[in-house]
Amino acid sequence: MKFVLVTGGVVSGLGKGVTASSIGVVLKACGLRVTSIKIDPYLNTDAGTMSPFEHGEVFVLDDGGEVDLDLGNYERFLDVTLTRDNNITTGKIYQSVLEKERRGDYLGKTVQVVPHITDAVKNWIESVAAIPVDGKEGPADVCVIELGGTVGDIESMPFIEALRQLSFSVGPDNFCLIHVSLIPVLGVVGEQKTKPTQHSVRELRALGLTPHLLACRSAQPLLANTKEKLSQFCHVPIANILNIHDVPNIWHIPLLLRNQNAHHSILQQLNLLSIAAPPDLQAWTKMAETFDNITNSVRIAMVGKYVGLADSYLSVVKALLHACIACSLKPSIEWIAASDLEDDSANLTPEAHATAWETLRNAECVLVPGGFGDRGVRGMILAAKYARENNIPYLGICLGMQISVIEFARSVLGLERANSAEFDTQSPDHVVIFMPEGSRTHMGSTMRLGSRKTLFQTHDCISSKLYSNPEYVNERHRHRYEVNPEVVGFLEEAGLKFVGKDETGKRMEILELPGHPYYVGVQFHPEFKSRPGRPSPLFLDKGRIKGDCEGYLPCVVGSIGLILAATKQLEAYLNTHQNGS
Ligand code: GLN
């Protein structure tokens, strides 16, 4: 196994995850099999209990792992299916070491950070790197390891030490370190500054790790003398100084790396030049260029709770992007804080309230994504009602589906106090209830999590046709509450149809409102499996929808329907898909 370690220096938020995924893409394009591991040095066991406000979206894997959003980047870029163990945290490592200590595995010994924690990190990396993630047999050729945080952080020290030991034990031909850093430009002179990078490389070297490549983030391309300086002071050959300057969209980054021969430097370091092919990035080139040339856009109102931080809904944003490209459109996402739609929200100015409603009314479709807690719920209900009554395409994901059930029960069934047990324990009409699969007392990893089957109850519905009429679909879940099976009959009689259910028939998975152009709610999260680079059967016949999409189309069923409906192409699209062909 060969390892590529990606570390970060100077500041956080440099796009280390995207850089590391892009390096994986370039290596994969050379014919190598690539897996990845993300190390998060925080103490939480996993990302499941962290707020999206603070840390961005919690990404969910097939096996139910609640992980850092960078794993979503790896899955989308490398088209792999990762496991929860591909995300290492300090919490997980300590938990495993302490379990062993209690079992008596270290009997008689003093259990210490070095060697016990560092050994646990090394063993974890080596065993997880060997798990195939691309559906093929046997371990991958290269494992890209991304170390979260910035070099020098106290909490990442044990990991740095473990990685230093790993580099020594696997030997120089099997280890390549890429340090991602920032080259700022100061003042009116506009000089590219190398000092912060010099300092962070020095810090890394003091810890026993020497970078083989530098990936320098900058606004403008690096000047020749900046590279020379970096090379001289950081002890890295000029050919190994990569520059990731600002580009119009992230699909350019693998191309940027390829154009700078990053693959050559990495393959040389890993002694893989003889078995690797020249990188084939045709699909990426097409995707990056297609996107640059799209001129039309579609206005999508995203009504949620965590709208202050776009990363809170990263996968939803990506899924919309994939769906829009398939329709030759650019997504124009209008963020609406759900509570701004409420009449009596605390601290809300009349102007902010009016702007929120104007934005909603100007949108061509509405999306209510997942969420927890009651903040903004009344605003989301208003948005769902507005979309339902005005025939505006609506997609409700997880909480968004529960919202549409509450709204329908209130407005159509006349159950004024209808609610979810999550928001109002006293409601006489709980149309959404707690249906636990796991613990009732613990918060961490106890939701209904990961891949579950949704069986179509009929093929005469929009969702089934969009999925090409399969018997069932496997999508990822992350929720505790569900539509109350006892009210399903009443809701259906009044017109809301549950067209997808789980295998027991008790858990509602997909709802639709026949007669409405597109009113779909899903209890699962289709966004987690949306990927570019994987042609979906939905689109294999090019020309069915606008744009030349063959070859890189994602599986973006939920959002593609929404976008097609928003741009009034859905009916024509479904007519050509009557047989699910
Ligand atoms: N809070 C809701 C639940 O737990 C919805 C969760 C979500 O949207 N992911 O069921």
Side-chain angles (χ1 to χ4, degrees):
M1 171 65 65
K2 312 259 179 186
F3 297 95
V4 174
L5 170 63
V6 180
T7 56
V10 185
V11 288
S12 58
L14 283 177
K16 194 157 26 94
V18 173
T19 308
S21 325
S22 302
I23 287 164
V25 168
V26 177
L27 294 177
K28 192 178 164 189
C30 292
L32 298 169
R33 289 176 57 210
V34 181
T35 181
S36 74
I37 293 177
K38 169 83 196 287
I39 299 176
D40 283 307
Y42 47 67
L43 276 166
N44 302 57
T45 310
D46 60 34
T49 53
M50 293 165 87
S51 160
F53 277 128
E54 246 181 65
H55 209 77
E57 140 192 301
V58 177
F59 192 77
V60 181
L61 298 169
D62 262 359
D63 68 4
E66 297 173 280
V67 293
D68 185 83
L69 53 79
D70 276 321
L71 275 84
N73 279 331
Y74 290 115
E75 283 208 342
R76 284 187 285 268
F77 270 49
L78 298 174
D79 196 13
V80 291
T81 304
L82 299 173
T83 71
R84 66 175 77 234
D85 291 342
N86 290 72
N87 194 188
I88 304 179
T89 64
T90 299
K92 280 184 191 170
I93 295 290
Y94 272 77
Q95 196 172 45
S96 73
V97 169
L98 291 174
E99 261 167 33
K100 282 169 94 180
E101 187 274 334
R102 290 290 82 187
R103 248 193 346 245
D105 291 10
Y106 308 112
L107 219 51
K109 296 262 185 314
T110 309
V111 183
Q112 292 178 297
V113 172
V114 182
H116 301 103
I117 294 293
T118 45
D119 280 353
V121 173
K122 272 189 298 178
N123 294 340
W124 192 302
I125 291 175
E126 288 189 298
S127 63
V128 172
I131 300 172
V133 293
D134 55 2
K136 297 186 186 138
E137 303 254 310
D141 300 306
V142 180
C143 175
V144 177
I145 306 170
E146 180 194 345
L147 177 62
T150 306
V151 169
D153 293 347
I154 290 176
E155 55 185 10
S156 61
M157 289 301 180
F159 291 104
I160 299 254
E161 170 58 15
L163 291 159
R164 185 197 62 75
Q165 291 181 21
L166 180 78
S167 77
F168 184 65
S169 66
V170 298
D173 277 0
N174 298 316
F175 193 83
C176 176
L177 170 52
I178 305 176
H179 188 59
V180 184
S181 182
L182 174 73
I183 305 293
V185 169
L186 281 194
V188 271
V189 205
E191 196 188 343
Q192 294 180 329
K193 294 292 190 185
T194 62
K195 194 69 70 118
T197 305
Q198 291 179 41
H199 280 296
S200 75
V201 169
R202 188 181 304 161
E203 178 111 45
L204 202 53
R205 291 165 67 86
L207 298 168
L209 283 168
T210 305
H212 302 105
L213 286 90
L214 292 182
C216 302
R217 287 282 291 114
S218 61
Q220 297 296 327
L222 285 191
L223 301 171
N225 75 332
T226 313
K227 279 196 176 186
E228 276 160 27
K229 248 186 176 173
L230 284 167
S231 172
Q232 201 177 353
F233 296 123
C234 300
H235 209 87
V236 173
I238 288 200
N240 290 7
I241 298 181
L242 311 171
N243 178 207
I244 302 175
H245 53 77
D246 290 354
V247 283
N249 66 64
I250 58 166
W251 296 308
H252 280 283
I253 296 177
L255 309 178
L256 201 62
L257 292 172
R258 189 260 332 256
N259 296 348
Q260 297 175 44
N261 271 326
H263 53 286
H264 187 272
S265 306
I266 301 169
L267 294 170
Q268 193 168 38
Q269 174 62 33
L270 296 176
N271 201 10
L272 281 173
L273 275 175
S274 56
I275 66 156
D280 174 6
L281 285 167
Q282 272 185 43
W284 282 83
T285 311
K286 197 168 167 186
M287 189 155 61
E289 288 174 358
T290 305
F291 189 70
D292 288 345
N293 294 326
I294 294 175
T295 45
N296 293 337
S297 61
V298 52
R299 288 184 309 281
I300 306 151
M302 185 94 109
V303 184
K305 172 177 170 187
Y306 321 104
V307 292
L309 181 70
D311 269 3
S312 304
Y313 302 109
L314 189 69
S315 295
V316 178
V317 171
K318 296 292 175 198
L320 285 170
L321 187 63
H322 302 157
C324 283
I325 298 184
C327 303
S328 288
L329 293 164
K330 280 203 168 144
S332 165
I333 300 179
E334 313 276 353
W335 299 93
I336 302 176
S339 49
D340 286 359
L341 294 170
E342 297 165 4
D343 293 327
D344 51 354
S345 181
N347 303 326
L348 179 67
T349 62
E351 292 75 32
H353 180 66
T355 310
W357 273 100
E358 199 183 311
T359 311
L360 185 65
R361 289 199 188 96
N362 274 330
E364 291 160 88
C365 59
V366 179
L367 198 156
V368 177
F372 296 83
D374 65 355
R375 171 135 57 102
V377 160
R378 284 178 302 129
M380 294 174 204
I381 293 175
L382 291 169
K385 183 177 169 73
Y386 165 80
R388 183 178 59 78
E389 290 181 344
N390 294 283
N391 286 333
I392 309 295
Y394 173 91
L395 177 63
I397 296 178
C398 204
L399 174 63
M401 165 172 170
Q402 299 170 2
I403 290 290
S404 52
V405 167
I406 299 169
E407 190 281 313
F408 194 85
R410 287 186 187 178
S411 307
V412 182
L413 295 186
L415 304 172
E416 271 169 39
R417 285 193 58 199
N419 216 329
S420 162
E422 182 181 5
F423 313 130
D424 179 2
T425 47
Q426 304 306 317
S427 161
D429 296 303
H430 278 148
V431 290
V432 177
I433 56 167
F434 186 33
M435 285 172 67
E437 270 191 347
S439 165
R440 282 177 179 265
T441 52
H442 282 62
M443 295 298 270
S445 196
T446 54
M447 283 188 251
R448 184 163 179 255
L449 284 168
S451 194
R452 296 280 192 284
K453 262 188 195 168
T454 292
L455 276 66
F456 280 105
Q457 309 298 302
T458 167
H459 289 308
D460 187 19
C461 64
I462 293 176
S463 327
S464 169
K465 287 176 194 157
L466 284 171
Y467 275 104
S468 292
N469 293 334
E471 229 168 90
Y472 66 88
V473 286
N474 263 318
E475 292 282 8
R476 297 181 184 172
H477 294 70
R478 182 172 187 253
H479 63 110
R480 286 194 178 83
Y481 295 84
E482 299 190 42
V483 180
N484 183 350
E486 286 178 14
V487 300
V488 166
F490 301 108
L491 293 165
E492 291 215 315
E493 245 168 65
L496 204 59
K497 297 289 176 228
F498 293 91
V499 298
K501 299 183 185 177
D502 80 333
E503 285 151 312
T504 67
K506 292 215 171 74
R507 298 179 195 263
M508 303 302 122
E509 293 281 3
I510 309 177
L511 68 76
E512 287 188 16
L513 188 61
H516 189 287
Y518 189 83
Y519 193 85
V520 176
V522 282
Q523 189 56 74
F524 50 78
H525 292 265
E527 70 272 23
F528 292 138
K529 283 178 64 166
S530 165
R531 298 173 193 185
R534 171 192 287 172
S536 154
L538 276 171
F539 307 103
L540 278 181
D541 186 356
K542 73 177 174 185
R544 278 188 180 163
I545 50 178
K546 269 199 292 180
D548 179 9
C549 309
E550 198 180 32
Y552 60 83
L553 275 161
C555 181
V556 280
V557 174
S559 21
I560 197 93
L562 182 72
I563 301 304
L564 287 168
T567 49
K568 317 240 173 332
Q569 302 176 74
L570 183 62
E571 215 180 300
Y573 177 79
L574 291 181
N575 284 338
T576 57
H577 281 70
Q578 279 305 342
N579 305 318
S581 55

